[in-house]
Amino acid sequence: MLNNLIYSISKKYIVVVFLIIFGFFAPTSSAQNLDSLLVELESVMSKRSVYDNEKETRINNLKELLADKNNTNKNNYYLINKIIDEYAYYSFDSTLCYINKNLKIGQELKNDHFINETRLKLSSLLISTGRYKEAVDLIGSIKKENLSDELINNFYENNMEVYSRLSFYTPISENKKAYQELYEIYKDSLLSRIDKDSESYLAIIEKELRDERRLGEALVINSKRAEMVPNDSRAYAIIAFERALLYLIKGDVENEKMNLIKSAMADIHESIKDNASLTLLSTILFKENDIERAHKYINFSFEDAEFYNSQFRFVNISNILPVISKAYEKNSMEQKSKLKTMLIFISLLAIILLASLFYIYSQVKKLAYARNKLKIVNKDLKKLNAKLSVSNNDLNRLYNELSEANRIKEHYIGSFLNLYSDYIDKLDIYRKMVRKYISTNKFSTLLDLTKSKQVIDTEMEVFFKNFDESFLHIYPTFIDQVNNLMQDEYLFGVKNEDRLNTELRILALIRLGISSSSQIAKILRYSVNTIYNYRVKIRNCATNRELFEDMIKKIQ
């Protein structure tokens, strides 16, 4: 806040403000700590891509191990578990994809432990993204008596979490009471099984103390939990966030903000995209009128939520994002207005100064005019010659490009005319043959001929051949450029360099501006569902499935 105050006022009274603030006021230790934490947070935020690249590297290394064909299904299950752990809180879609793969492996191996473990992972994912109904149904399908000791703990934890959230969010008092009772049952069951000195046990006790507003005791336990985990871990991010909640209840805003900052830094360092700390921090800063930081942080949170594909986070962010954005725009307009006023004042001073300089310069120029005139003319001639040379080069380049374009046009006009002429000849031959069959009363033969799809298939093959050759003539590196957008294991390999397969033809039509599945289906004579399935399959194999088709349209 202190820095923002200096920034907003300095444009008008910078010298006075510095004297007043630094001469008469000394920042408290708490404010210094908060300011240094904010600086550190923004430094960590600027390195988000570095942490994300490290995450992607770990994931890609695991995927390379998974691609080994010598792996057994059991080995693949454990490798996929590691991939799921990396993707958790990073990408919802990828986490769900690999959970489904492990579920399939467990079913193929008929391994109840694998199946139950994967279902519990899936239920945890559903809970964290606000899909409580699906999570309750899934957990309800798991038989506790078939679980190992470790999985029973996970079973109780998931039940605790889902009923805790349902109790918190439901507006119906009767349901809230029922959910709370279920939470208490599963909580007691879990507490009876786990070590009392474990972080999990302490977390449950801390929540109880927080709910009972025994905040001093809760803070002591929270500190003990924080000592048990690294400062840049997901667990620390949760602990710091829960400590911020304790200070929120106490009304200690400064400590609340400091712990939200620590939680956010741990989330960013671990590439946790499903997070809440920055959103809550931006809300607090907005209330304190620190609009610029609030806007920056809420947009950062929105980008994370969008990357993770968390509808739950989108709902939370959407409640505050428009308000902050509107305030930010208003603040920007006010700053622009102030800058405009200052600019007008400075412009007037500049005009006076320029007028004075112009008068002095004109007097000096008169004395040097005769001596420098010839030199100026020579320089101008050199500049004109240089411009003419550049213009000639540009004209030559344009002429060559136009010549090449005309040559391509002539080539394809000729090809079109030849193809059209061929179709007229084929229609005439077909007409004569039909006439011949009719005149000789060979109606059954004519009927058999019309039932056959051989003519259509032959013509489609000719059409595909002409289309492939023409398209690859215009875009000779199209296949290579498409492969640059695909995951390594899904590269297109074409046997005939002059021909495209169905997937590449669909991408070729998209590059030509035909993006409607119905239009593509009509051209390639497939059903719309078939074209849609092809497109989904290709996107899923791309390195960037969201922007894949837009990148196809930009291929040169």
Side-chain angles (χ1 to χ4, degrees), residues 139 183 257 322 325 442 502 548:
I139 299 172
Y183 166 79
K257 287 191 290 185
S325 297
K442 295 182 178 180
T502 302
F548 176 68

Side-chain angles (χ1 to χ4, degrees), residues 90-234:
Y90 180 69
S91 170
F92 171 79
D93 293 332
S94 297
T95 307
L96 182 60
C97 173
Y98 281 94
I99 284 176
N100 286 331
K101 287 183 179 181
N102 254 3
L103 192 58
K104 184 177 179 182
I105 290 175
Q107 291 168 347
E108 289 175 356
L109 295 176
K110 297 181 180 179
N111 188 316
D112 289 340
H113 178 79
F114 286 176
I115 294 171
N116 288 327
E117 183 180 34
T118 307
R119 284 179 175 172
L120 287 170
K121 285 180 181 288
L122 177 57
S123 66
S124 179
L125 177 66
L126 294 172
I127 294 167
S128 68
T129 53
R131 295 167 171 86
Y132 305 132
K133 175 64 170 62
E134 293 91 333
V136 169
D137 291 343
L138 182 59
I139 299 172
S141 69
I142 300 172
K143 295 181 179 179
K144 186 180 70 174
E145 56 270 17
N146 295 335
L147 301 179
S148 64
D149 284 346
E150 180 184 355
L151 294 186
I152 287 176
N153 289 348
N154 294 340
F155 175 81
Y156 287 147
E157 286 174 357
N158 287 1
N159 274 291
M160 277 177 56
E161 184 66 21
V162 72
Y163 287 117
S164 173
R165 294 195 182 199
L166 285 170
S167 174
F168 180 80
Y169 286 111
T170 182
I172 303 172
S173 57
E174 186 176 344
N175 289 350
K176 183 183 290 287
K177 181 180 179 182
Y179 293 144
Q180 184 64 30
E181 288 176 354
L182 287 169
Y183 166 79
E184 294 291 339
I185 291 171
Y186 288 111
K187 179 199 72 176
D188 293 341
S189 299
L190 181 62
L191 290 178
S192 67
R193 295 178 54 84
I194 59 177
D195 185 358
K196 293 185 178 181
D197 292 325
S198 68
E199 197 275 327
S200 299
Y201 187 95
L202 294 176
I204 298 170
I205 299 302
E206 180 185 330
K207 182 180 183 303
E208 283 188 347
L209 293 172
R210 183 173 71 238
D211 292 343
E212 295 171 3
R213 296 300 187 264
R214 295 160 63 184
L215 303 180
E217 298 172 62
L219 284 169
V220 172
I221 291 182
N222 184 275
S223 298
K224 187 174 181 180
R225 290 173 62 202
E227 294 172 357
M228 301 170 71
V229 298
N231 288 352
D232 56 359
S233 64
R234 164 71 178 170

Side-chain angles (χ1 to χ4, degrees), residues 37 40-41 44-45 222 226 230-245 255-281 300-301 304 313:
L37 278 174
E40 186 179 355
L41 170 62
V44 173
M45 288 169 64
N222 184 275
N231 288 352
D232 56 359
S233 64
R234 164 71 178 170
Y236 183 83
I238 295 172
I239 293 168
F241 181 80
E242 290 175 351
R243 191 174 187 87
L245 295 181
N255 276 312
E256 180 188 358
K257 287 191 290 185
M258 284 194 285
N259 281 281
L260 286 174
I261 293 169
K262 293 175 183 178
S263 175
M265 287 193 293
D267 280 332
I268 297 168
H269 190 275
E270 285 296 291
S271 293
I272 303 299
K273 304 299 182 183
D274 184 23
N275 57 70
S277 302
L278 265 185
T279 303
L280 185 54
L281 179 62
F300 192 95
S301 296
D304 277 353
R313 295 297 174 204

Side-chain angles (χ1 to χ4, degrees), residues 312-478:
F312 181 69
R313 295 297 174 204
F314 278 138
V315 172
N316 290 337
I317 294 173
S318 65
N319 292 329
I320 186 66
L321 179 60
V323 180
I324 293 178
S325 297
K326 185 176 180 180
Y328 179 77
E329 290 174 5
K330 182 180 178 182
N331 191 51
S332 297
M333 291 299 293
E334 290 175 355
Q335 288 185 357
K336 286 179 182 178
S337 178
K338 292 177 182 179
L339 287 173
K340 186 177 179 180
T341 303
M342 292 178 62
L343 183 61
I344 292 171
F345 179 71
I346 293 170
S347 297
L348 291 173
L349 292 176
I351 290 170
I352 296 171
L353 178 61
L354 286 172
S356 301
L357 290 174
F358 179 76
Y359 176 77
I360 296 169
Y361 176 72
S362 63
Q363 298 302 314
V364 175
K365 187 177 179 182
K366 288 179 182 179
L367 297 174
Y369 179 76
R371 184 177 59 192
N372 294 332
K373 186 175 181 181
L374 184 60
K375 186 184 294 184
I376 293 170
V377 171
N378 288 332
K379 287 181 179 179
D380 289 342
L381 286 173
K382 288 180 181 179
K383 290 179 180 178
L384 287 172
N385 287 332
K387 290 180 179 178
L388 285 172
S389 177
V390 171
S391 298
N392 285 333
N393 291 334
D394 290 341
L395 286 172
N396 288 332
R397 178 177 56 79
L398 289 171
Y399 176 78
N400 291 333
E401 290 178 357
L402 287 172
S403 298
E404 177 64 18
N406 286 334
R407 187 186 65 77
I408 292 173
K409 288 178 182 177
E410 291 169 0
H411 171 77
Y412 288 110
I413 288 171
S415 298
F416 171 76
L417 291 174
N418 287 333
L419 184 62
Y420 203 77
S421 177
D422 287 344
Y423 275 111
I424 291 172
D425 290 340
K426 289 176 182 179
L427 283 171
D428 189 47
I429 292 170
Y430 197 77
R431 179 187 64 82
K432 290 176 180 179
M433 181 174 61
V434 170
R435 181 180 178 185
K436 177 183 175 181
Y437 285 148
I438 292 173
S439 63
T440 56
N441 294 324
K442 295 182 178 180
F443 295 108
S444 60
T445 306
L446 180 59
L447 182 60
D448 291 339
L449 178 64
T450 58
K451 289 181 178 179
S452 173
K453 288 184 63 178
Q454 182 177 358
V455 175
I456 298 299
D457 293 340
T458 302
E459 291 306 318
M460 284 303 298
E461 182 60 29
V462 172
F463 167 73
F464 287 152
K465 182 176 183 298
N466 288 329
F467 175 80
D468 295 350
E469 291 175 355
S470 299
F471 183 82
L472 290 174
H473 186 76
I474 299 173
Y475 303 102
T477 62
F478 180 74

